């Protein structure tokens, strides 16, 4: 259980400056779907994920890699980018598709949040799929912790807020100190209220409703699965592995 | 009770574009302390409040007004601006000080939020002090409603989120539809969790703790008083009255 270190929450990738992350341990959260997809890809044997900010950057990196060993992956506003190998549905990232590959990954909110956090001391990738593993990792963090929700185009997203709350709940054993920052209190309070009902609440979130119109897969239910794996993807020299 | 119109929450003055407020009814919320102070000033007979974005704008407006009938008011980072008549403690805005006066008002977050909302269809000022009056006014709104929390330097503030939740709770009679936007769900859920304990929760918010170091008055407890008055300040042609 974290005692001395502080934990705070940013609710969108636009709600902070890079400088706010200096000397911090950062967990990037984009439940629907970027961080759930990254965790799935690495669980299924991908060598690494290179987060990029736009398609131009993806193309440049792609040109310098052996074409057999990498995949261009990502979405724009929820839809797979034309000509890319994979979109942003975690269910596409099977072992058959990704084992041994390096993924160049470009999404609307999630990868931008990772890119913006590169000045932090440590950056890891959080999803419900690896909730307990991330929480355990944070217990040993020497730095203050920021849970960085990608949100949606500058706004708070319910599913990201709930995962931030779940991580805080795990770390503090269900009893947050009065001195915790406002952001931590909001996320914690929301998770405590909905914790027996996470999947059905997230299925009614704005983002899930938007996705229901554009994706066929059962992505949202999958992204709500807790502790499907025990890995903690970490960003090192621009690559998540 | 609102049925057809939607209600959403922005958690800081930086989390939206002016265009997002077009054709909307907006309630600006800055519990600690700008909107609580404005409500108090108007309750105590001030003629009007002119919100300004900075000290330069305040000076220019001041030069065009009869010096006997207006006051320069406001704070920078919680402290009264040097040479101004009043700061941002609502307890300063007594009838003796403000009756019949026009106030030029400049604060760190709250007046900036009002300025940014000038493109909306209607803009009103919300505080716990006029909670029921604002909620009743919204019941008759023809437009979709935005609860615009000023927050603190781009970040969510617990006290503003709780008031947004309180307004939604009043409007929906304690039962928010599943189709409500994420922002409304977060604010509503938080208020529902803490509603029996508003003052003590707000006394432990980041902003209240910051204020405790710089103000002597018992501002925070005052700002938590519910329904001290029945007025709904409205913005018309740049003046709140």
């Amino acid at each position: 259980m974290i005692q001395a270190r502080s934990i705070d929450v940013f609710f969108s990738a636009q709600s902070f400056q890079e400088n706010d992350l200096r000397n911090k341990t950062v967990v990037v959260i984009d439940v629907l779907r970027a961080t759930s997809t990254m965790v799935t890809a690495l669980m299924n044997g991908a060598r690494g994920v290179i987060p990029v900010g736009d398609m131009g950057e993806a193309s440049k990196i792609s040109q310098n890699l052996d074409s057999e060993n990498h995949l261009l992956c990502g979405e724009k506003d929820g839809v797979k980018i034309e000509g890319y190998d994979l979109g942003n549905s975690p269910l596409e990232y099977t072992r058959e598709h990704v084992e041994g590959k390096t993924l160049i990954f470009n999404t609307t909110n999630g990868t931008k949040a990772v890119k913006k956090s590169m000045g932090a001391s440590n950056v890891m990738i959080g999803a419900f799929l690896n909730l307990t593993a991330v929480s355990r990792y944070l217990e040993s963090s020497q730095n203050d912790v920021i849970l960085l929700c990608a949100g949606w185009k500058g706004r708070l997203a319910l599913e990201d807020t709930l995962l931030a709350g779940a991580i805080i709940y795990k770390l503090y054993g269900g009893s947050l100190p009065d001195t915790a920052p406002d952001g931590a209190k909001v996320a914690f309070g929301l998770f405590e209220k909905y914790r027996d009902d996470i999947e059905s609440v997230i299925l009614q979130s704005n983002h899930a409703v938007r996705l229901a119109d554009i994706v066929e897969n059962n992505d949202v239910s999958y992204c709500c699965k807790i502790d499907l794996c025990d890995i903690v993807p970490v960003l090192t020299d621009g690559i998540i592995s």
Side-chain angles (χ1 to χ4, degrees), chain A:
Chain A
M1 195 188 309
I2 283 192
Q3 293 289 355
R5 291 172 295 286
S6 78
I7 188 162
D8 203 352
V9 181
F10 292 151
F11 292 94
S12 83
Q14 283 84 340
S15 68
F16 66 97
Q17 306 299 321
E18 276 90 340
N19 214 22
D20 297 332
L21 306 184
R22 197 174 297 271
N23 301 320
K24 302 282 166 61
T25 290
V26 172
V27 182
V28 178
I29 292 172
D30 186 2
V31 171
L32 298 177
R33 299 168 287 171
T35 58
S36 300
T37 298
M38 292 186 219
V39 168
T40 302
L42 292 163
M43 172 180 84
N44 285 332
R47 280 186 66 196
V49 177
I50 304 176
V52 298
D54 55 44
M55 283 180 268
E57 189 184 355
S59 298
K60 282 179 201 155
I61 293 174
S62 171
Q63 287 161 12
N64 293 324
L65 292 177
D66 175 355
S67 64
E68 291 218 341
N69 291 329
H70 78 275
L71 298 173
L72 271 172
C73 311
E75 50 84 15
K76 176 78 181 158
D77 294 332
V79 180
K80 185 176 131 181
I81 297 168
E82 209 181 328
Y84 273 35
D85 299 298
L86 295 171
N88 191 20
S89 167
L91 299 174
E92 295 177 75
Y93 289 71
T94 57
R95 187 164 289 276
E96 187 191 349
H97 282 132
V98 302
E99 189 164 29
K101 307 275 190 185
T102 297
L103 313 181
I104 303 172
F105 196 50
N106 177 21
T107 70
T108 311
N109 303 291
T111 56
K112 288 177 181 59
V114 177
K115 294 279 288 180
K116 202 171 165 186
S117 67
M118 285 187 176
S121 283
N122 308 285
V123 180
M124 67 197 77
I125 301 300
F128 282 105
L129 306 174
N130 67 343
L131 168 61
T132 298
V134 166
S135 305
R136 279 211 201 100
Y137 188 106
L138 291 180
E139 281 177 28
S140 64
S141 171
Q142 300 299 309
N143 305 308
D144 289 340
V145 174
I146 299 286
L147 305 180
L148 171 47
C149 300
W152 190 75
K153 298 190 176 180
R155 303 204 51 203
L156 166 157
L158 191 62
E159 67 280 6
D160 294 344
T161 307
L162 284 169
L163 177 56
I167 292 170
I168 296 168
Y169 193 90
K170 280 226 164 234
L171 278 169
Y172 286 97
S175 160
L176 190 65
D178 289 340
T179 55
D182 286 5
K185 283 180 184 154
V186 169
F188 176 88
L190 203 75
F191 175 74
E192 203 180 32
K193 179 171 163 60
Y194 292 120
R195 69 195 162 109
D196 296 328
D197 219 15
I198 291 294
E199 184 177 341
S200 66
V201 170
I202 291 180
L203 278 166
Q204 288 156 349
S205 70
N206 293 154
H207 204 138
V209 170
R210 274 192 302 272
L211 280 178
D213 290 337
I214 51 177
V215 298
E216 288 175 23
N217 290 330
N218 193 11
D219 283 359
V220 178
S221 292
Y222 173 80
C223 293
C224 294
K225 287 189 193 300
I226 291 175
D227 292 339
L228 202 63
C229 65
D230 198 33
I231 62 172
V232 180
V234 172
L235 180 73
T236 313
D237 298 332
I239 301 180
I240 298 160
S241 60

